[in-house]
Structures are given as structure tokens and as C-alpha cells.
Amino acid sequence: AKDPVRVLVTGAAGQIGYALVPMIARGVMLGPDQPVILHMLDIPPAAESLNGVKMELVDAAFPLLKGVVATTDVVEACTGVNIAVMVGGFPRKEGMERKDVMTKNVSIYKSQASALEKHAAANCKVLVVANPANTNALILKEFAPSIPEKNISCLTRLDHNRALGQISERLTVQVSDVKNVIIWGNHSSTQYPDVNHATVATSAGEKPVRELIADDAWLNGEFITTVQQRGAAIIKARKLSSALSAASAACDHIRDWVLGTPQGTWVSMGVYSDGSYNVPAGLIYSFPVTCANGEWAIVQGLSIDEFSRKKLDLTAKELFEEKALAYSCLN
Ligand code: NAI
């Protein structure tokens, strides 16, 4: 039998945490033959609720779940973890300035970066979910210099999956037949959902989405804004932000990263930019990636038209400004 993998979930007493931990314990993230030990971190005000989640995990009698650490101690939480899913963060509250929220999160991600660097297993893979996800991941990277930058990522897979969902609804095809959409940039409303390379499996073979949906006004307009604004639409409907879809996307992200993407398929991940597609280096930016042997690689050589170029640059500009704001909060 395989040795258990230790998976950290921070903010585990929260909404996404509550949806995510049972998925991990069931093998949705790492596969049905991979035992796991869950490490759950939250802050003291949530300690009792966190313990309740631990009680439910015991009650669920998951065969793959070999242990649960539920703690408010960052060091205990991070010790020996192979995978860290960072969901904990400070939410924006009414009347709060962007800078105030950024200050809170920068200080959380700075201290958790140090704890991971010192106590996580070698080669720990990190996924930041908490917003501002790209910039939190960048701060984590900057303050954990001994963790290789290729091991630090942020979640844009939810946006990617939302884009697949919108195409499948529009064409009334199975979502599993749609592939290779791209989310470029920030996990925010400036993200660019790009269908220029996306395809659909049909009985007549693989067809470009642009050929099947010959409605440029929709593809260049409503489709993009629907994906960009989907988070807000869920809050309006549910009075709470996306949780089950975020948890599911976090599982998809880690699963593909660890087990590999299917042949001919790419996914979107927020990763440290290296200058590909003329995106400035030094940002955590969402790119199309393929994964093999536990490593991602940015898909190269895709054509970028003028419309797309503007959108790639706009979201890079926002990330640049977020980075500057984050740094100003450190001082
Ligand atoms: P939530 O407020 O229900 O849960 C957050 C949890 O984090 C709470 O239990 C809180 O006590 C905990 N927490 C706060 N500070 C912490 C710290 N320093 N260490 C450990 N835990 C801490 O929020 P929810 O709905 O679960 O969302 C979590 C985050 O994920 C939010 O920042 C949200 O904006 C973000 N999000 C990101 C998405 C993405 O696609 N990247 C999608 C949906 C949400």
C-alpha cells in the first residue's frame, strides 16, 4: 500500500474548507488508491468549529483517511505536509479599503510562508486559493525563498471550469467534450477567458469552438463577462461565495499537477511568470499549462491576436499594481 500523503488545508473551518476536506478524504484530489492524512488549520475564534469538522471526518469513516490534525498552531499544521492548500485569509468586509484587506493578507501569507519553508516536507506543492489569490501566492513565494518557485501556484481552475461550463451550456454538449479554454492573468474581473484555441469533441471529430459558435459578439462579449463576473453572480444567488465549485477546482488543480494532464489537453494555473507570451516576469499569472511527472510547463507557441493581447496586458497591469500595493503594505 502507498504511504499516506499529508495535505494541509488552511481556513479549514470555512465554507470552502467544509466542502474540500471530504473531497480530499474520498480520494477526489489524489486518486482512489492514495491514503491521506489531513492537516487542518484555522484561527482561534474558529477552533471549536474546526474541531466539529474533525468530528464529522471521524463520523464519515473514510477508508483513505489515515489521520487528522486539527490545530490553530501554524507550525504543527505545516509540519511534514506534502501538499498545502491555502484557503485561509482575511475577507474584505463592508467599508474596508483594498489596502487594509491587502495588509491583513500580506501579513498572513508572509508568516505562513516562513512556517511552510521551515516545516513542510521537501518538494511540498502549494496552491493558494484565498484572495487576492495571485498576490497572496506571490508574497508566499517571496517569503519562502527555499521553496522552488515552480512549487507555488494559485487557483484559476475555477474560472477555467466556469468557461468550459459556459461553452457546454451554449452548445448543449457535454462539458467533458470541451477542452483547452485558457484563463489568462489575475483571478479577478480583469482575467481573460480565451476560447481561441478551445475545441469540442463531436461525432465529426474535434472542432474549434469558434467554428461551432459562429457568434463573435457573444464570444468576445457576454461569454467573457459572464465568466469574469460569475463569482459575483453566485454571491447574489446564494448570499455566500462559491464554495463547492471552488473546492472541486482545487482538487482538479492538484490532481492534474500531481498525476498529469491528459494527452492533448491543457488547464489553467496561476504560476510564476517567466516572460512567456510577453507577460512580465515576476508575477503570479494564470497561463495554459500541461503537467507531467509532477511538474507544470507553460504551453508555448499559441497565437495571440490583437484583441487578446490587450486583455493579457490589462490583467498583467492589474497584477503589477497589486504587487506594488502588497509591497507598500509590508513597509
Ligand atoms: P470563509 O470566510 O468561509 O473561510 C475562511 C476561513 O479562513 C475561516 O474559517 C477563517 O477563520 C480562516 N482564516 C482566517 N485567517 C486565517 C489564518 N491566518 N490562518 C488560517 N485560517 C484563517 O471563506 P471561504 O468562502 O471558504 O473562502 C476562502 C477564501 O477563498 C476567500 O479568500 C475567498 O475570497 C477565496 N476564494 C477563491 C476562489 C478562487 O477561485 N481562487 C474562489 C472562491 C473563493
Side-chain angles (χ1 to χ4, degrees):
K2 291 185 173 176
D3 286 336
V5 167
R6 290 182 185 268
V7 183
L8 167 65
V9 177
T10 71
Q15 274 211 94
I16 294 176
Y18 191 74
L20 178 59
V21 291
M23 292 182 187
I24 298 170
R26 258 194 192 282
V28 174
M29 178 180 274
L30 294 168
D33 59 349
Q34 178 58 64
V36 291
I37 296 173
L38 268 169
H39 288 220
M40 303 194 296
L41 175 71
D42 214 294
I43 49 178
E48 200 180 349
S49 159
L50 184 68
N51 194 48
V53 177
K54 180 179 177 178
M55 288 159 68
E56 287 205 66
L57 286 169
V58 170
D59 295 349
F62 293 113
L64 287 172
L65 187 59
K66 302 304 175 190
V68 180
V69 176
T71 182
T72 57
D73 181 295
V74 183
V75 171
E76 187 186 5
C78 291
T79 298
V81 297
N82 307 102
I83 288 168
V85 187
M86 313 300 284
V87 185
F90 197 92
R92 185 163 180 172
K93 293 184 180 153
E94 222 179 323
M96 267 179 95
E97 295 293 334
R98 244 166 73 84
K99 176 148 185 163
D100 302 331
V101 194
M102 187 67 92
T103 303
K104 296 264 189 206
N105 283 296
V106 161
S107 88
I108 292 170
Y109 278 81
K110 188 179 164 186
S111 70
Q112 294 185 353
S114 307
L116 279 172
E117 179 169 48
K118 292 198 191 89
H119 304 287
N123 216 26
C124 174
K125 287 181 161 61
V126 182
L127 165 61
V128 178
V129 176
N131 281 316
N134 301 54
T135 299
N136 287 341
L138 184 67
I139 293 299
L140 197 153
K141 185 221 154 265
E142 304 282 44
F143 288 95
S146 71
I147 301 182
E149 64 200 31
K150 67 175 181 5
N151 286 22
I152 295 171
S153 66
C154 84
L155 187 72
T156 55
R157 184 62 175 269
L158 174 54
D159 309 293
H160 181 101
N161 288 347
R162 283 167 172 164
L164 296 176
Q166 289 303 308
I167 298 295
S168 90
E169 292 271 284
R170 166 80 190 214
L171 287 171
T172 51
V173 297
Q174 298 296 320
V175 73
S176 54
D177 289 335
V178 187
K179 68 175 188 180
N180 296 352
V181 297
I182 304 168
I183 302 298
W184 299 96
N186 200 0
H187 169 69
S188 77
S189 58
T190 67
Q191 66 176 253
Y192 172 44
D194 175 358
V195 295
N196 290 336
H197 309 277
T199 61
V200 179
T202 73
S203 52
E206 229 166 60
K207 300 274 184 201
V209 163
R210 287 244 174 226
E211 189 182 309
L212 297 173
I213 305 178
D215 180 350
D216 285 350
W218 186 81
L219 284 173
N220 296 344
E222 197 183 326
F223 163 74
I224 292 174
T225 51
T226 300
V227 176
Q228 288 172 333
Q229 306 292 336
R230 190 68 162 180
I234 300 291
I235 293 176
K236 190 158 180 283
R238 234 170 60 84
K239 321 289 180 252
L240 286 168
S241 64
S242 312
L244 86 84
S245 54
S248 181
C251 290
D252 289 345
H253 176 113
I254 297 288
R255 191 198 55 236
D256 287 346
W257 191 1
V258 172
L259 300 175
T261 42
Q263 190 68 37
T265 300
W266 64 66
V267 295
S268 302
M269 278 173 72
V271 296
Y272 197 62
S273 59
D274 62 353
S276 292
Y277 295 99
N278 288 320
V279 170
L283 298 173
I284 299 274
Y285 189 99
S286 180
F287 287 98
V289 301
T290 54
C291 305
N293 307 312
E295 296 203 8
W296 53 264
I298 296 172
V299 177
Q300 298 294 334
L302 299 172
S303 59
I304 307 290
D305 62 15
E306 207 178 312
F307 178 88
S308 300
R309 186 72 252 167
K310 289 206 180 94
K311 297 219 170 320
L312 263 74
D313 292 344
L314 185 76
T315 189
K317 181 166 173 280
E318 184 184 53
L319 281 169
F320 229 83
E321 289 163 5
E322 272 189 25
K323 182 178 180 174
L325 181 64
Y327 271 89
S328 76
C329 296
L330 284 165
N331 303 322

